[in-house]
Every structure is written in C-alpha cells, then in structure tokens.
Amino acid sequence: MNSAFDQIEFLLNDELVVLKDVNPNTTVLSYLRDSAGKIGTKEGCASGDCGACTVVLAEPNGNKLRYSTINSCIAIIPAVNGKQVLTIEALKSDNRLHKVQTAMVENHGSQCGFCTPGFVMSLFALKKNALEKSEKGEESISANMEEIEEALSGNLCRCTGYRSIVDAAKQSLESDEKDQFQRIESETIQRLRDIDGDHQTFSPKKIEKLADLLLAYPKATMLAGGTDLGLLITQNLVQFDVVIYLGKVKGLQILEVAEDQINIGASVSYTQSHSVIKNEYPDWGRMMTRLGSLQIRNLGTIGGNIGNASPIADMPPVLIALNASITLQLGKQEREIPVEDYYIDYKVTCQQESEFIRTIHIPRSNPDYELKIYKISKRFDDDISAVLGVFNVKLVDGVVNDVSIAFGGMAAIPKRAVNSELALKGQPWNQETIDKAKLALGTDYSPLSDMRASADYRMTVAQNLLQKCYLELSQPDLNVNVLSFEAKAVDRDA
Amino acid sequence: MRSLPEINSLAKKNPSHVGTALAHESAEKHVSGEAIYVDDERDIAGQLHGAIGRSTVAHGIIKSLDLDAVRKAEGVHLVITAKDVPGHIDIGPVFPGDSVLVESKVEFYGQAIFAVAADSLELAQRAVQLAKIEYEVLEPILNVKQALKQSSFVRPVHEQARGDAVKAISEAANQLQGELVVGGQEHFYLEGQVSRAIPGEDGDMSILTSSQHPAEVQKLVSEVLGLSINQVTVEVRRMGGGFGGKETNAAPWACVAALLAAKQGVP
Ligand SMILES: Cc1cc2nc3c(=O)[nH]c(=O)nc-3n(C[C@H](O)[C@H](O)[C@H](O)COP(=O)(O)OP(=O)(O)OC[C@H]3O[C@@H](n4cnc5c(N)ncnc54)[C@H](O)[C@@H]3O)c2cc1C
Ligand code: FES
Ligand code: FES
C-alpha cells in the first residue's frame, strides 16, 4: 500500500481541488487527463522532453503571482500542493480566445495541433512574465528573441518548423491588455494563501519537521523537483511508498551570497539560482541554460542533481572543480563535506539513512582562477551530457600554480582527474605539459560505452577539451566555437 | 524547440501573397485544447486498455512463454498470443513477413509477442512486466556490412544500372574512394501510435485510429479477425503527426486492439 499524503489541495484553473488519500505516484498529467477530464493537455513522450504536456503553475510571490511552466507528465501530484495549476482549458474567457491563442491562430502556428496546447501554455507564461516585468518598469513588454527561445526551449514541434510559432510569440507580446487572470489576481493569491495550511504531514514547512519525518520514515523518498523521480514512475513504472516533498521547506529555500561563499538551499530550483550563479561564474550560468529545458529548470534543483548521484549529472563536476561543499543533516546533527566526498560508487553516496542534503556552499569566484566548463551532448540544448569537463586553473607567470579538473560521464561517479592535475601543477602552461596531462587523463578514467558515446569517443573528447581549455586560456582571441549557437551564447553574455 | 538560426518572417514581408499565414481550419480548437485526438475520447463503459509484451532480444527463438503471472496480475482481463489470432497472422502491408504477434522466431528487439487488456493502461503495462520468456538467442545482424557478408536481404536484390560503371571508374583519370554511413531515424510524431476498437453486432469491428492509411487498417483488421472487409469500419478524425510513420505502422496497433476487443467483447 502506498502511504499517501494526508491531503493535497490546489486550485485547478479556478476550482479548488482537495484530494484525500492520493497515491503520491500519480503524475499531474494522469490526474488531469484521467481524473479531472482535462484532456486538452497532451502526452507526447511521458519523459519531460517534448513539452506537449506543459501546464503553468501560479504561486504567490509578494502581492503578485509568479507563473512557471512545468512538464505535467513527470511532475508528480504532491508538487502542486498549495499552487494553482493552469491548463489550456482556462485560457479562453467568455468564449473568446486569449491573446496568445489568437496569435497562434493568426500566424498559422499549428498544423497537426498535438504540440499546440503545450506551446500555448509556454507562450502564456512568457507573456505573463513579460507583463510583470513591464509593470515593474524593468523593461517594456516585448521579449527579445533570446527570451522567446528560452520560453520555447522545452517544446518540440515536428510540423511547423517553428517560424510561425516565433511569429506568434512576437505578436502575442505586442499588447499589454489585461487578461482574466490579472483581473482576479489578488483574489487568487488569497485563495492560495488560505489553502496553504500546515496540515500536510509529508509536505513539511520547517526543517525540523523534515528531519523528524525522515527519522520516522528512513526509507522515504525525498521529492525535490521530481525531474529525475518522475521519470522513474513514468518510464520504469516504479512506485514509491512514502514521499516527502521538499519544495515547501523554508530552510531548504535559502539563496544567499555571503562574503566568502554562495549558499543555495537544496530545494532551490535552477531557475531561481540561475542569476546568482551566472553573475558569479558566467561560464557556469551559460552551461545551466543547456541543462534540460525551461520546464525542467523551473522544477529541477541542484540538491536533486547531487542527490540523484548520476555519473552524468551536470552540476557535480562543476561543484567538485570549485571545491564546493554540502551540509548534510540527520536529525539535529549537521556535517559539512566536500561535494567530491559525497560520491562513493555508481549511485552509492555517503548519505546515511534519514539524512538529507540541506545546503550547497559554493566558494565566491576568485579572479586569479579561470573556470572553463564544456558540455558535450548529441544535441546542443536540452540533452543529457555524454561528457562534461570542468577546468579551474590558476596561472602565475605562465606556470600552473593551481588547477582542479573534474569530469562527468567518464566514470561511475562524477570524478576529479587527480593524475592529470598532478601532471599540470607547477609545470609551465605549454603544449608539452598539456600533452602529458592528456595522457594522464587515460590513467584517471576508464569510461564506459553506451548509447550516448563510446569509451573511445569519451576519452578523446576529454583530452580534446583539455586542449580546448589550453587554447582558450593561452590565446583568448582564438575562436574555438564551431557551432553558431555556441558563439551566439557567448556573445549574449559578453 | 532549441536555439534557432535566424528565421525570416516571410509573412511580414509579403502581406498578401505566398508565405502569408492562414489560420488552419482546426486552429481555434488546437490552441484551446478542444481538438479531439484518439486518446482524448472518453472511455466507454467497460472499456479496457491494452499493452503489448515485447521481445527483449533482437533475434531468437522463443523456447518458453510463461504468462501465468501476467494473467493473474491486478486488473487484467485478457492476455493473447499468436495462438489467439483467428485469421491471418501476417500483416505485412506490401510484402509478407510481418507477424501481428510473434509465433516463435523473434526478428527484432521489441517485436510484439503478446498483448494484455486491463482496467487501465498502467495496470496493463505493469502486468506486461511479469512475463517470463526464455529465448534461444541467435546472433542478430545489426549493420549493413554484416548483412552483406551473410547475404541477408529483406527483399530480393534490386539493381538499377546504366552503362558500365565499373569500367568507367577504372578508366577514369581520377578516382575517389570513401564510405558513407546514413544514420537511420525513426519517424517522430508528437502523438504516439494509438487505436481504439469497438466490437459491434455480428462480429463487426469499428476502429478509431491515428493512421495515414485507414483503408489498409481496414483490410488488415478484417484479415486478422477473419472478417469480410465490409464488417470493419475505420475512422480517422485527426492525427498528431504522422510523417509516414503512421502509413503502414499504425495498423499493427489497430489489429492488436481489434483482437483484444473481439475476444473480450468490449472496447
Ligand atoms: C528532459 C530532461 C532533461 C534533463 N536534462 C538534464 C541535463 O541537461 N543535465 C543534468 O544534469 N540533468 C538533467 N536532467 C535530470 C534532472 O533534471 C536533474 O538531475 C535535476 O537536477 C534533478 O533535480 P530534482 O529537484 O528534479 O530532483 P528529484 O527528482 O526530486 O530528486 C532526485 C534524487 O535526489 C534525491 N534528493 C532530492 N533532494 C534531496 C536532498 N535535499 N537530499 C538528499 N537527496 C535528495 C531524491 O530523493 C531523488 O533520489 C534532465 C531531466 C529531464 C527529465
Ligand atoms: S509528454 Fe513530452 S514532455 Fe511531457
Ligand atoms: S503542429 Fe504537429 S507537432 Fe507541432
């Protein structure tokens, strides 16, 4: 028997829904389609890749609602507790299409139409967020191409070729007329506040409560964004017995830039932490925009990325190369360890039963060091890495004073290249040294062959990335970006 | 949708001619989620959901097929194998060679071996996982070179030639040699393969499917069920994409749905 949440409450469009004894393994999409009869939201892939299932979550943020897109196919129902779920059915009002819908119609943004509800929801969230910014006077309503691309990065359309959809996005951003949601915004916020009580045993708000729950249920599954866990349910048909949702725990939501380090709570989403990370480490910020899609980044967390202990996760190599640490908590006991020490073997970590990741501590950037991050994947955006290489190098008078290198995808765990580091330290920064360090990579790793890449490819790429890092640091003017996308991404941030 | 190259907005440049955006006839329904696809149809009372048990080896002979646990699984009403097909097993649409369910020899990874009808899709998928199948594994042929070496051809060799190419090349002043590998891609349609079969009177069958070739679905369903073609009605309301992948390959799903529905007497 699945131990369910006591109760989950949320607004589905403008209706209050109270679910008792729900199976926490239910995905939001299956709830919408099979129980609530909201069939406008489609299922394309059931794995968070295509965006056909995109719905929008609205949550109070001060006296405004914050709108974000998610993939309902892998979001599991506890994650909408206390929020408003907006589906495609909510957009029409008084039988008239919403502006974003009209724009899609007028620009021929649909052909077979199966991806369309998902696109419309992504455009809707884009429009709501653009409106919010313009109200705050941050910028006029009219998103630039970059924002449009980001908003649509998690939606695939096979039929249209996208041009018409981008046109629709531009058109929908032209007016700043109020829509039905703005008119009742404060009312909605009040309704959400009213249901946001503390009676959900498995959606604790206080960190003490979380620690207690984990002691009581040592085998419980911790749910942060669910972008890894959801896939286990939909693709591997796994069922979890006890699920504890971390998204409401205040103590896991901290995001602070302290004097010597940045502290990020384990359940802070990528979207929330992005600007802080990008300001501190531009290369890292850039890489984050290639982690999943916007829908995935709206839910996914760094805590979950570490906790999932996947050898191909994108954050751990960066954290390891930067000598970042994490605080783990068990009951009232806390301990801080380097991220590197968290990983023991494939999917085995030093985290004990009932213990959880509380905070991630990232050192502030040091101007003496250059951080280079390279993500190699089959597709440029929204794809899992075959290899991810991170180099943090301090050069003094042409000599490698200090260096740390870590790779994802090269071993059973995210791992430091100890031998290669040794081959570099104290040596002149030249081709000869790099060649030795490249050879040393061969002793650091013996990668696997799988569907993403062969062992040979991985090793060759890892060595070439070291070469690329060398070229970039010694000849800053050299253009080493082959892809126009890559160059564009660098330009944007420059 | 990913990083896009710069795209010109034709429509803006050329307001009244080629490239002007016209609303799709279903556009208003698309953008409001009101367009109905097969999977959006409400369940009919008593409707069951099917899932297919597929081969976990690429090439082999089925030695034993133990489906007891599948039959006993929660929510399962019916399990069928090739033995339960009343009519033709072969549903090769153009040339023979495609079995609706494998009789004994598996020819590719994921080939359909049995089908389950259960109270929900999830229960059907869970039940499928309980099958115990033993195979005598044969070596699969996984690339063109290997196939050429073993003279394994799907269809008889077809040659299209003009003049004497070999001679012309050997006498040419310059010769270039190389190898070209084409990475095959499965069609990608956003809406997956899906069909609903509703049994009617006198053994008739009515199929709602997402197919580019309803007439072929009609023919093949009538053949696997051993019916005359006029006893099968096929409806295609709309498709969530097809691109050729639902030309011949929508039919197997319709056939399996029809086999389950015919045997159980419910949609
Ligand atoms: C379409 C798609 C694309 C993706 N692309 C990428 C990509 O490009 N790069 C990449 O690295 N990943 C990618 N992922 C994987 C995933 O999004 C990330 O790993 C994400 O960071 C997981 O975070 P989450 O909050 O969703 O974790 P969850 O799924 O909630 O949890 C993951 C695991 O961590 C555990 N956990 C969560 N929080 C804690 C905690 N505080 N303490 C201890 N354990 C905890 C959970 O119990 C679970 O085992 C992708 C996933 C999808 C579906
Ligand atoms: S169905 Fe494809 S992302 Fe959810
Ligand atoms: S309109 Fe068919 S996939 Fe987008």
Short mmCIF file of all heavy atoms in Angstrom, two decimals, chain A residues 214-262:
data_model
loop_
_atom_site.label_atom_id
_atom_site.label_comp_id
_atom_site.label_asym_id
_atom_site.label_seq_id
_atom_site.Cartn_x
_atom_site.Cartn_y
_atom_site.Cartn_z
N LEU A 214 11.98 12.22 8.40
CA LEU A 214 12.95 11.30 7.81
C LEU A 214 13.43 10.29 8.84
O LEU A 214 13.75 9.14 8.49
CB LEU A 214 14.13 12.07 7.22
CG LEU A 214 13.82 12.71 5.86
CD1 LEU A 214 14.91 13.68 5.47
CD2 LEU A 214 13.68 11.63 4.79
N LEU A 215 13.46 10.68 10.11
CA LEU A 215 13.81 9.71 11.15
C LEU A 215 12.69 8.68 11.29
O LEU A 215 12.93 7.49 11.44
CB LEU A 215 14.04 10.41 12.49
CG LEU A 215 15.36 11.19 12.59
CD1 LEU A 215 15.42 11.98 13.89
CD2 LEU A 215 16.56 10.26 12.49
N ALA A 216 11.45 9.17 11.18
CA ALA A 216 10.32 8.26 11.31
C ALA A 216 10.18 7.34 10.09
O ALA A 216 9.75 6.20 10.21
CB ALA A 216 9.03 9.06 11.51
N TYR A 217 10.54 7.87 8.93
CA TYR A 217 10.44 7.07 7.70
C TYR A 217 11.80 7.05 7.00
O TYR A 217 12.01 7.77 6.02
CB TYR A 217 9.42 7.66 6.72
CG TYR A 217 8.01 7.74 7.25
CD1 TYR A 217 7.54 8.88 7.88
CD2 TYR A 217 7.14 6.66 7.07
CE1 TYR A 217 6.23 8.94 8.35
CE2 TYR A 217 5.83 6.72 7.53
CZ TYR A 217 5.38 7.86 8.18
OH TYR A 217 4.10 7.93 8.64
N PRO A 218 12.70 6.24 7.51
CA PRO A 218 14.07 6.27 6.95
C PRO A 218 14.12 5.89 5.47
O PRO A 218 15.04 6.27 4.77
CB PRO A 218 14.84 5.26 7.79
CG PRO A 218 13.90 4.73 8.81
CD PRO A 218 12.54 5.26 8.58
N LYS A 219 13.12 5.15 5.01
CA LYS A 219 13.15 4.71 3.61
C LYS A 219 12.38 5.67 2.70
O LYS A 219 12.17 5.38 1.52
CB LYS A 219 12.54 3.32 3.48
CG LYS A 219 13.24 2.23 4.26
CD LYS A 219 14.18 1.46 3.36
CE LYS A 219 14.81 0.25 4.03
NZ LYS A 219 15.92 0.57 4.91
N ALA A 220 11.90 6.77 3.26
CA ALA A 220 11.09 7.68 2.47
C ALA A 220 11.89 8.22 1.28
O ALA A 220 13.11 8.35 1.34
CB ALA A 220 10.61 8.84 3.33
N THR A 221 11.17 8.53 0.22
CA THR A 221 11.81 9.14 -0.94
C THR A 221 11.64 10.66 -0.84
O THR A 221 10.53 11.15 -0.67
CB THR A 221 11.12 8.66 -2.23
OG1 THR A 221 11.20 7.24 -2.24
CG2 THR A 221 11.80 9.23 -3.46
N MET A 222 12.76 11.35 -0.95
CA MET A 222 12.69 12.81 -0.91
C MET A 222 12.39 13.32 -2.31
O MET A 222 13.08 12.97 -3.26
CB MET A 222 14.02 13.38 -0.44
CG MET A 222 14.23 13.21 1.04
SD MET A 222 15.87 13.84 1.44
CE MET A 222 16.73 12.30 1.66
N LEU A 223 11.38 14.16 -2.39
CA LEU A 223 10.99 14.70 -3.68
C LEU A 223 11.32 16.19 -3.71
O LEU A 223 10.77 16.97 -2.96
CB LEU A 223 9.49 14.49 -3.89
CG LEU A 223 8.83 15.27 -5.03
CD1 LEU A 223 9.28 14.71 -6.36
CD2 LEU A 223 7.31 15.18 -4.93
N ALA A 224 12.24 16.56 -4.59
CA ALA A 224 12.52 18.00 -4.76
C ALA A 224 11.73 18.44 -5.99
O ALA A 224 10.54 18.66 -5.92
CB ALA A 224 14.01 18.23 -4.88
N GLY A 225 12.37 18.53 -7.15
CA GLY A 225 11.63 18.92 -8.35
C GLY A 225 10.95 17.74 -9.02
O GLY A 225 10.04 17.89 -9.81
N GLY A 226 11.46 16.54 -8.73
CA GLY A 226 10.85 15.35 -9.32
C GLY A 226 11.24 15.10 -10.77
O GLY A 226 10.69 14.22 -11.41
N THR A 227 12.20 15.85 -11.29
CA THR A 227 12.51 15.66 -12.72
C THR A 227 13.34 14.40 -12.97
O THR A 227 13.45 13.95 -14.09
CB THR A 227 13.22 16.87 -13.33
OG1 THR A 227 14.46 17.07 -12.64
CG2 THR A 227 12.38 18.13 -13.22
N ASP A 228 13.92 13.85 -11.92
CA ASP A 228 14.51 12.50 -12.04
C ASP A 228 13.50 11.46 -11.56
O ASP A 228 13.28 10.45 -12.22
CB ASP A 228 15.78 12.38 -11.19
CG ASP A 228 16.98 13.02 -11.86
OD1 ASP A 228 17.16 12.80 -13.07
OD2 ASP A 228 17.73 13.74 -11.20
N LEU A 229 12.87 11.74 -10.43
CA LEU A 229 11.95 10.75 -9.85
C LEU A 229 10.74 10.50 -10.75
O LEU A 229 10.31 9.36 -10.91
CB LEU A 229 11.46 11.24 -8.48
CG LEU A 229 12.50 11.24 -7.37
CD1 LEU A 229 11.90 11.80 -6.09
CD2 LEU A 229 13.01 9.83 -7.14
N GLY A 230 10.21 11.57 -11.34
CA GLY A 230 9.02 11.43 -12.18
C GLY A 230 9.26 10.44 -13.30
O GLY A 230 8.40 9.63 -13.65
N LEU A 231 10.46 10.48 -13.86
CA LEU A 231 10.79 9.57 -14.96
C LEU A 231 10.79 8.13 -14.49
O LEU A 231 10.43 7.23 -15.23
CB LEU A 231 12.19 9.89 -15.49
CG LEU A 231 12.27 11.04 -16.47
CD1 LEU A 231 13.69 11.19 -16.96
CD2 LEU A 231 11.37 10.77 -17.65
N LEU A 232 11.22 7.91 -13.24
CA LEU A 232 11.21 6.53 -12.73
C LEU A 232 9.79 6.00 -12.71
O LEU A 232 9.53 4.84 -12.98
CB LEU A 232 11.80 6.48 -11.32
CG LEU A 232 13.30 6.71 -11.20
CD1 LEU A 232 13.75 6.68 -9.76
CD2 LEU A 232 14.03 5.63 -12.00
N ILE A 233 8.84 6.90 -12.39
CA ILE A 233 7.44 6.47 -12.33
C ILE A 233 6.90 6.22 -13.73
O ILE A 233 6.29 5.19 -14.00
CB ILE A 233 6.57 7.52 -11.60
CG1 ILE A 233 7.03 7.65 -10.15
CG2 ILE A 233 5.10 7.15 -11.68
CD1 ILE A 233 6.35 8.75 -9.37
N THR A 234 7.14 7.17 -14.65
CA THR A 234 6.50 7.00 -15.96
C THR A 234 7.25 6.04 -16.88
O THR A 234 6.66 5.36 -17.68
CB THR A 234 6.33 8.34 -16.72
OG1 THR A 234 7.62 8.87 -17.04
CG2 THR A 234 5.56 9.34 -15.90
N GLN A 235 8.56 5.99 -16.76
CA GLN A 235 9.31 5.14 -17.69
C GLN A 235 9.66 3.78 -17.11
O GLN A 235 9.72 2.80 -17.82
CB GLN A 235 10.60 5.85 -18.15
CG GLN A 235 10.33 7.17 -18.84
CD GLN A 235 9.51 7.02 -20.11
OE1 GLN A 235 9.79 6.20 -20.97
NE2 GLN A 235 8.43 7.78 -20.22
N ASN A 236 9.95 3.72 -15.81
CA ASN A 236 10.34 2.43 -15.22
C ASN A 236 9.22 1.81 -14.39
O ASN A 236 9.41 0.78 -13.77
CB ASN A 236 11.58 2.58 -14.34
CG ASN A 236 12.77 3.13 -15.12
OD1 ASN A 236 12.63 3.47 -16.29
ND2 ASN A 236 13.92 3.19 -14.49
N LEU A 237 8.07 2.51 -14.34
CA LEU A 237 6.91 2.03 -13.59
C LEU A 237 7.23 1.75 -12.13
O LEU A 237 6.66 0.85 -11.52
CB LEU A 237 6.31 0.79 -14.27
CG LEU A 237 5.87 0.96 -15.73
CD1 LEU A 237 5.29 -0.35 -16.26
CD2 LEU A 237 4.85 2.05 -15.89
N VAL A 238 8.17 2.50 -11.57
CA VAL A 238 8.49 2.36 -10.15
C VAL A 238 7.38 3.00 -9.32
O VAL A 238 6.75 3.95 -9.76
CB VAL A 238 9.82 3.09 -9.86
CG1 VAL A 238 10.11 3.18 -8.37
CG2 VAL A 238 10.97 2.38 -10.58
N GLN A 239 7.13 2.47 -8.12
CA GLN A 239 6.18 3.11 -7.20
C GLN A 239 6.91 3.39 -5.89
O GLN A 239 7.58 2.51 -5.35
CB GLN A 239 5.00 2.17 -6.91
CG GLN A 239 4.12 1.92 -8.12
CD GLN A 239 3.05 2.99 -8.29
OE1 GLN A 239 2.14 3.12 -7.48
NE2 GLN A 239 3.17 3.78 -9.35
N PHE A 240 6.78 4.60 -5.39
CA PHE A 240 7.42 4.93 -4.12
C PHE A 240 6.40 4.77 -3.00
O PHE A 240 5.23 5.08 -3.16
CB PHE A 240 7.94 6.36 -4.15
CG PHE A 240 8.94 6.59 -5.23
CD1 PHE A 240 8.62 7.33 -6.36
CD2 PHE A 240 10.20 6.01 -5.15
CE1 PHE A 240 9.53 7.50 -7.39
CE2 PHE A 240 11.12 6.19 -6.17
CZ PHE A 240 10.78 6.93 -7.29
N ASP A 241 6.87 4.30 -1.86
CA ASP A 241 5.94 4.08 -0.75
C ASP A 241 5.65 5.38 -0.02
O ASP A 241 4.51 5.80 0.10
CB ASP A 241 6.51 3.05 0.22
CG ASP A 241 6.42 1.66 -0.38
OD1 ASP A 241 5.60 1.48 -1.30
OD2 ASP A 241 7.17 0.77 0.04
N VAL A 242 6.68 5.98 0.50
CA VAL A 242 6.47 7.22 1.24
C VAL A 242 7.25 8.33 0.54
O VAL A 242 8.44 8.19 0.28
CB VAL A 242 6.97 7.10 2.69
CG1 VAL A 242 6.65 8.37 3.46
CG2 VAL A 242 6.34 5.90 3.36
N VAL A 243 6.57 9.40 0.23
CA VAL A 243 7.22 10.50 -0.47
C VAL A 243 7.15 11.75 0.41
O VAL A 243 6.10 12.08 0.95
CB VAL A 243 6.51 10.79 -1.82
CG1 VAL A 243 7.11 12.00 -2.49
CG2 VAL A 243 6.61 9.58 -2.73
N ILE A 244 8.28 12.40 0.57
CA ILE A 244 8.29 13.65 1.33
C ILE A 244 8.69 14.77 0.39
O ILE A 244 9.76 14.74 -0.22
CB ILE A 244 9.28 13.57 2.51
CG1 ILE A 244 8.89 12.42 3.44
CG2 ILE A 244 9.30 14.90 3.29
CD1 ILE A 244 9.84 12.19 4.59
N TYR A 245 7.80 15.73 0.27
CA TYR A 245 8.05 16.83 -0.67
C TYR A 245 8.89 17.92 0.01
O TYR A 245 8.56 18.37 1.10
CB TYR A 245 6.70 17.40 -1.14
CG TYR A 245 6.84 18.55 -2.09
CD1 TYR A 245 7.66 18.45 -3.21
CD2 TYR A 245 6.14 19.74 -1.89
CE1 TYR A 245 7.79 19.51 -4.09
CE2 TYR A 245 6.26 20.80 -2.77
CZ TYR A 245 7.09 20.68 -3.87
OH TYR A 245 7.22 21.72 -4.74
N LEU A 246 9.98 18.30 -0.63
CA LEU A 246 10.89 19.26 -0.01
C LEU A 246 10.62 20.71 -0.41
O LEU A 246 11.18 21.64 0.16
CB LEU A 246 12.34 18.93 -0.42
CG LEU A 246 12.82 17.49 -0.19
CD1 LEU A 246 14.28 17.36 -0.60
CD2 LEU A 246 12.64 17.08 1.26
N GLY A 247 9.77 20.87 -1.42
CA GLY A 247 9.60 22.20 -2.02
C GLY A 247 9.05 23.27 -1.09
O GLY A 247 9.16 24.46 -1.38
N LYS A 248 8.43 22.86 0.00
CA LYS A 248 7.83 23.85 0.90
C LYS A 248 8.68 24.09 2.15
O LYS A 248 8.30 24.88 3.02
CB LYS A 248 6.43 23.39 1.33
CG LYS A 248 5.42 23.35 0.20
CD LYS A 248 4.63 24.64 0.14
CE LYS A 248 3.90 24.73 -1.19
NZ LYS A 248 3.23 25.99 -1.38
N VAL A 249 9.79 23.39 2.27
CA VAL A 249 10.63 23.55 3.47
C VAL A 249 11.40 24.87 3.37
O VAL A 249 12.28 25.01 2.51
CB VAL A 249 11.62 22.37 3.62
CG1 VAL A 249 12.43 22.52 4.90
CG2 VAL A 249 10.87 21.04 3.59
N LYS A 250 11.07 25.80 4.22
CA LYS A 250 11.69 27.13 4.13
C LYS A 250 13.20 27.06 4.21
O LYS A 250 13.91 27.71 3.46
CB LYS A 250 11.17 28.03 5.26
CG LYS A 250 9.73 28.45 5.08
CD LYS A 250 9.61 29.99 4.95
CE LYS A 250 8.26 30.37 4.35
NZ LYS A 250 7.11 29.81 5.10
N GLY A 251 13.68 26.23 5.16
CA GLY A 251 15.13 26.15 5.39
C GLY A 251 15.90 25.62 4.19
O GLY A 251 17.12 25.76 4.12
N LEU A 252 15.19 25.00 3.24
CA LEU A 252 15.88 24.49 2.05
C LEU A 252 15.77 25.46 0.89
O LEU A 252 16.19 25.19 -0.22
CB LEU A 252 15.29 23.14 1.61
CG LEU A 252 15.41 21.98 2.60
CD1 LEU A 252 14.81 20.72 2.00
CD2 LEU A 252 16.87 21.73 2.96
N GLN A 253 15.17 26.63 1.18
CA GLN A 253 14.90 27.59 0.11
C GLN A 253 15.85 28.78 0.14
O GLN A 253 15.64 29.75 -0.58
CB GLN A 253 13.45 28.09 0.22
CG GLN A 253 12.42 27.14 -0.37
CD GLN A 253 12.47 27.10 -1.88
OE1 GLN A 253 12.78 28.10 -2.51
NE2 GLN A 253 12.20 25.96 -2.47
N ILE A 254 16.87 28.73 0.99
CA ILE A 254 17.74 29.90 1.08
C ILE A 254 18.57 30.07 -0.19
O ILE A 254 18.92 29.10 -0.86
CB ILE A 254 18.69 29.84 2.30
CG1 ILE A 254 19.61 28.63 2.19
CG2 ILE A 254 17.93 29.82 3.62
CD1 ILE A 254 20.84 28.78 3.05
N LEU A 255 18.85 31.32 -0.50
CA LEU A 255 19.68 31.62 -1.65
C LEU A 255 20.42 32.90 -1.26
O LEU A 255 19.85 33.99 -1.29
CB LEU A 255 18.80 31.84 -2.88
CG LEU A 255 19.50 32.21 -4.18
CD1 LEU A 255 20.47 31.14 -4.61
CD2 LEU A 255 18.48 32.44 -5.29
N GLU A 256 21.65 32.76 -0.80
CA GLU A 256 22.33 33.96 -0.30
C GLU A 256 23.77 34.04 -0.78
O GLU A 256 24.46 33.05 -0.92
CB GLU A 256 22.28 34.01 1.23
CG GLU A 256 22.96 32.84 1.89
CD GLU A 256 22.89 32.88 3.42
OE1 GLU A 256 22.05 33.61 3.96
OE2 GLU A 256 23.70 32.18 4.04
N VAL A 257 24.17 35.25 -1.06
CA VAL A 257 25.54 35.49 -1.47
C VAL A 257 26.26 36.06 -0.25
O VAL A 257 26.08 37.22 0.10
CB VAL A 257 25.59 36.47 -2.65
CG1 VAL A 257 27.02 36.67 -3.12
CG2 VAL A 257 24.72 35.96 -3.79
N ALA A 258 27.02 35.23 0.43
CA ALA A 258 27.74 35.68 1.61
C ALA A 258 29.12 36.17 1.19
O ALA A 258 29.47 36.13 0.00
CB ALA A 258 27.85 34.56 2.63
N GLU A 259 29.90 36.62 2.13
CA GLU A 259 31.18 37.23 1.78
C GLU A 259 32.13 36.26 1.06
O GLU A 259 32.69 36.57 0.03
CB GLU A 259 31.85 37.74 3.04
CG GLU A 259 32.91 38.79 2.72
CD GLU A 259 33.47 39.37 4.00
OE1 GLU A 259 32.69 39.54 4.96
OE2 GLU A 259 34.66 39.63 4.03
N ASP A 260 32.23 35.06 1.62
CA ASP A 260 33.18 34.14 1.00
C ASP A 260 32.53 32.98 0.28
O ASP A 260 33.20 32.18 -0.35
CB ASP A 260 34.16 33.61 2.06
CG ASP A 260 33.40 32.98 3.22
OD1 ASP A 260 32.17 33.23 3.32
OD2 ASP A 260 34.02 32.24 3.99
N GLN A 261 31.22 32.86 0.39
CA GLN A 261 30.58 31.76 -0.33
C GLN A 261 29.13 32.05 -0.68
O GLN A 261 28.50 32.93 -0.09
CB GLN A 261 30.68 30.45 0.45
CG GLN A 261 30.01 30.50 1.80
CD GLN A 261 30.22 29.19 2.57
OE1 GLN A 261 31.10 28.40 2.27
NE2 GLN A 261 29.39 28.97 3.58
N ILE A 262 28.64 31.27 -1.64
CA ILE A 262 27.23 31.36 -2.01
C ILE A 262 26.54 30.14 -1.40
O ILE A 262 27.04 29.03 -1.54
CB ILE A 262 27.08 31.34 -3.53
CG1 ILE A 262 27.76 32.57 -4.13
CG2 ILE A 262 25.62 31.28 -3.95
CD1 ILE A 262 27.85 32.54 -5.64
#
